[in-house]
Amino acid sequence: MKFWKYHVNGNDFILLESSHKMHPSQITMLCDRHKGIGADGILCVAEEEQVRYLHYNADGSVANMCGNGIRCVAHHICTKRHLSKIEITILGQTYTVALNDHIATLYAPIPKVLEENRYNSGVNHLIVSAYTQSEDDNVDVVKYRDDTHFEMTTYELGVGETLSCGTGMIAAFYHGVRNQLLSHMAIGTSKGGYNLLYLNDDSICLSSCVHEVYSGNWNERK
Ligand SMILES: N[C@H](CCC[C@H](N)C(=O)O)C(=O)O
């Protein structure tokens, strides 16, 4: 089966044009960085009139949303269909992504505030200043540098530490704005690179470069 390898700021994915459910053992094998292709997750894209996709974490679990993965899907489809904007559905929720050259902008709804430092920006994020373990949340260790800059390290459910996280960026940015630590536009940096974030009346824009690294054939073994 043909696959494409994508990343946004080092959060990397194997993209498959397939609507078949995958078995966890196939997922862990493909995401294995020594014995497989190697990735933080798999994006299974069903190309109907409305583009839908499923996001699998490297451990085989399903993620409800991924701010970086959805921008890789958008890049893939927009490039193929010569579009500059697309709507993509993941588990019944539809998001808009715009593509300008290789820069993808996700228009995400304002995160739900679950607790003072817990948000749902598609998936749950706990915003902390020093690492704490959580079974139910992605954990973002955030340092707010000044009112337009913050730095973040994310420990993701189903993956572990990643080089960047889109929904984490959105949650950390919104937390910063709510607590008067950030203005309505900021740059969020993680080990893998940076995003530009902007707060509108009813959405948060998240912009960064998407990279298609290579494509190849996966030899499915029985
Ligand atoms: N890397 C993703 C988040 C995936 C979250 C996932 N690991 C989970 O909650 O299961 C992002 O860019 O938003």
Side-chain angles (χ1 to χ4, degrees):
M1 178 186 273
K2 183 159 185 190
F3 72 86
W4 290 260
K5 183 76 195 289
Y6 277 91
H7 81 89
V8 175
N9 294 331
N11 192 194
D12 61 341
F13 307 101
I14 298 160
L15 186 150
L16 302 173
E17 289 181 345
S18 160
S19 52
H20 296 295
K21 287 228 165 76
M22 291 184 74
H23 194 269
S25 65
Q26 277 183 321
I27 298 161
T28 51
M29 194 271 282
L30 279 174
C31 291
D32 189 307
R33 296 196 183 274
H34 300 286
K35 297 180 177 172
I37 299 163
D40 292 330
I42 298 184
L43 313 166
C44 276
V45 185
E47 246 205 278
E48 291 147 13
E49 201 177 329
Q50 174 65 53
V51 177
R52 289 182 296 112
Y53 86 103
L54 259 185
H55 183 116
Y56 295 106
N57 290 318
D59 73 349
S61 60
V62 172
N64 285 342
M65 166 57 180
C66 173
N68 288 333
I70 200 165
R71 291 187 290 172
C72 295
V73 174
H75 186 289
H76 188 75
I77 304 292
C78 283
T79 305
K80 200 161 141 178
R81 294 191 192 169
H82 306 288
L83 300 172
S84 57
K85 207 173 211 180
I86 192 166
E87 292 200 329
I88 297 173
T89 302
I90 174 166
L91 297 174
Q93 189 72 38
T94 302
Y95 295 84
T96 302
V97 182
L99 190 73
N100 185 348
D101 203 356
H102 292 284
I103 299 180
T105 301
L106 168 67
Y107 295 80
I110 306 291
K112 290 189 194 79
V113 181
L114 306 175
E115 280 168 48
E116 196 39 57
N117 63 337
R118 273 184 86 221
Y119 298 86
N120 186 295
S121 50
V123 290
N124 287 357
H125 282 274
L126 185 69
I127 308 299
V128 289
S129 55
Y131 179 71
T132 46
Q133 214 176 346
S134 171
E135 305 249 303
D136 306 315
D137 302 309
N138 297 285
V139 176
D140 303 291
V141 181
V142 187
K143 290 193 175 30
Y144 296 98
R145 293 297 183 197
D146 58 41
D147 69 346
T148 51
H149 290 90
F150 65 96
E151 289 163 14
M152 188 182 90
T153 303
T154 303
Y155 302 86
E156 281 189 30
L157 296 170
V159 191
E161 184 181 341
T162 52
L163 293 179
S164 81
C165 177
T167 50
M169 280 277 156
I170 291 167
F173 171 65
Y174 190 54
H175 182 75
V177 173
R178 280 185 71 232
N179 290 281
Q180 283 89 48
L181 299 165
L182 291 174
S183 71
H184 285 195
M185 194 189 262
I187 290 173
T189 307
S190 56
K191 277 184 195 158
Y194 65 90
N195 277 277
L196 181 66
L197 295 112
Y198 186 82
L199 177 68
N200 292 310
D201 290 342
D202 58 357
S203 68
I204 289 176
C205 292
L206 175 79
S207 293
S208 194
C209 213
V210 177
H211 301 270
E212 185 197 323
V213 192
Y214 60 86
S215 60
N217 276 304
W218 161 40
N219 303 322
E220 225 169 325
R221 269 163 286 174
K222 293 275 175 319

